[in-house]
Amino acid sequence: MRASLIAFVLALAAQACAAPALAQDKGTLDDKPLPPLANPSDPNLPAKEVFGRALTPIEARVRSIGYYWRGCLVGAKALPVDGESWQVVRLSRNRMWGNPAMISFLERFSRKAKAEGIWNGILVGDISQPRGGPMLTGHASHQVGLDADVWLTPMPDHTLSREEREEMSAVNMVTEDGLSVDRAHWSEAQAGIIKAAAEEPEVERIFVNAAIKKALCETHKGEPWMNKVRAYWGHNYHFHIRIKCPAGETTSVPAPPTTGAEPVTTAPQPAPATQHLPIPRATTAAWLVIPPRAVRMPSATCMPWMSSGDVSTRTRIVLRPA
């Protein structure tokens, strides 16, 4: 009786949490620049308002600064919108930028998947903004150019039009109740593309929906690459790749180690709340090339890294307690 009651409560909660996973946000064909800030000198201006308006990267030595969900990016490189084994979608978001190590990984990984006959190619969603940092909409992470979303829908056999890139939707791989994968869409090909990514040595984490992790455990339990696959809220249309901090970039903070043996549950999970950083508060300022003015950001957003001789024009980012 008690087990039945628990199952009933979980089913009701799953339906309540299913709404965010029923559709994907579309892009726009009319991607006008955001209006200028009314008061750029406002010390309480949210950092996302600044980073969300940056259209170009900082031309300086490459750095992923801070942590995956609290940081910024210098020397970003854009993934070309079309490649032999990939295409970029949602171009209007201007989130095809990343640390060059991530861009190189996506190109190499997609070629590997095509060569192994898994898919013809991959569809790449959000990576990061030109200067990283917090976004006006969507992700909490993707701030340092070391995260990327790859759709669980294969690349079609034609070059996508601009309209298709903005309006087509990936396929939902999870049933409406959130308890299992949808066998009408989920196949070993989806498992294969996740495996192909997870097997790469620079990959630190793969985030998927809990129902997808459950399905992977049913068919690939015990395989070494599964240690990197973690169940996380959402991620039913795409999987999230996170790579390690590139060698020599001591300003990025690596994620803690994992065994991949965390319990998997398809019980509905709430949207993640504000994250708490396991890193010390920064006590000095970092510098970014943004229109010259001071902007307050949460502490530990950008770790100190740049010497006074690295760039000719700088903006001081004042770090304060969140």
Side-chain angles (χ1 to χ4, degrees):
M1 178 67 178
R2 182 175 179 179
S4 299
L5 179 60
I6 292 174
F8 176 73
V9 171
L10 290 179
L12 288 179
Q15 292 181 14
C17 292
L22 293 180
Q24 280 193 318
D25 292 337
K26 294 182 178 180
T28 178
L29 296 173
D30 186 23
D31 49 342
K32 297 178 180 178
L34 292 170
L37 295 168
N39 184 8
S41 300
D42 182 357
N44 295 312
L45 184 69
K48 65 181 180 180
E49 297 291 344
V50 178
F51 285 98
R53 284 170 167 76
L55 302 178
T56 58
I58 298 170
E59 299 295 340
R61 189 159 60 98
V62 176
R63 282 290 187 276
S64 287
I65 305 165
Y67 200 62
Y68 299 100
W69 55 71
R70 219 170 203 184
C72 50
L73 175 62
V74 175
K77 179 182 178 182
L79 179 67
V81 298
D82 293 308
E84 60 186 85
S85 51
W86 74 85
Q87 294 187 54
V88 180
V89 293
R90 304 298 190 264
L91 302 182
S92 60
R93 295 180 181 175
N94 196 27
R95 296 176 182 176
M96 70 285 290
W97 301 85
N99 186 299
M102 171 56 86
I103 303 305
S104 176
F105 165 81
L106 289 169
E107 294 176 352
R108 187 177 69 257
F109 151 64
S110 66
R111 294 189 188 105
K112 168 189 172 182
K114 182 175 182 178
E116 293 181 356
I118 301 171
W119 275 354
N120 180 53
I122 62 173
L123 294 175
V124 181
D126 291 351
I127 306 174
S128 189
Q129 299 177 132
R131 300 178 186 185
M135 301 178 182
L136 289 168
T137 60
H139 311 280
S141 61
H142 291 256
Q143 294 193 25
V144 295
L146 300 176
D147 296 280
D149 290 341
V150 174
W151 284 15
L152 286 164
T153 304
M155 185 182 82
D157 59 2
H158 66 278
T159 301
L160 295 172
S161 67
R162 177 62 191 274
E163 183 175 2
E164 287 177 305
R165 293 175 196 266
E166 302 296 345
E167 297 186 356
M168 70 179 288
S169 177
V171 177
N172 186 358
M173 296 292 152
V174 177
T175 56
E176 187 173 351
D177 62 11
L179 301 179
S180 61
V181 294
D182 186 343
R183 297 295 176 179
H185 304 300
W186 175 262
S187 71
E188 189 57 29
Q190 276 74 27
I193 201 72
I194 295 171
K195 175 183 177 182
E199 286 178 332
E200 294 302 301
E202 64 265 58
V203 170
E204 188 162 67
R205 297 278 196 280
I206 300 285
F207 296 105
V208 298
N209 187 275
I212 293 175
K213 176 67 184 283
K214 177 173 174 284
L216 290 172
C217 288
E218 292 169 354
T219 54
H220 296 277
K221 183 178 180 180
E223 296 181 23
W225 60 272
M226 282 287 289
N227 289 342
K228 298 180 181 180
V229 181
R230 306 296 295 271
Y232 202 73
W233 180 85
H235 299 87
N236 48 327
Y237 289 91
H238 69 270
F239 66 102
H240 178 146
I241 301 171
R242 173 169 294 169
I243 66 172
K244 300 174 183 177
C245 298
E249 293 194 25
T250 56
T251 49
S252 54
V253 181
T258 175
T259 63
E262 79 286 355
V264 177
T265 175
T266 52
Q269 300 296 311
T274 302
Q275 305 284 355
H276 296 281
L277 291 179
I279 56 178
R281 292 173 181 243
T283 56
T284 56
W287 299 85
L288 292 178
V289 183
I290 301 176
R293 57 191 175 77
V295 180
R296 289 191 178 274
M297 301 178 69
S299 64
T301 297
C302 294
M303 301 297 285
W305 62 273
M306 189 177 286
S307 67
S308 59
D310 284 331
V311 293
S312 58
T313 304
R314 300 182 299 277
T315 290
R316 188 178 185 184
I317 303 300
V318 181
L319 303 182
R320 62 174 173 78

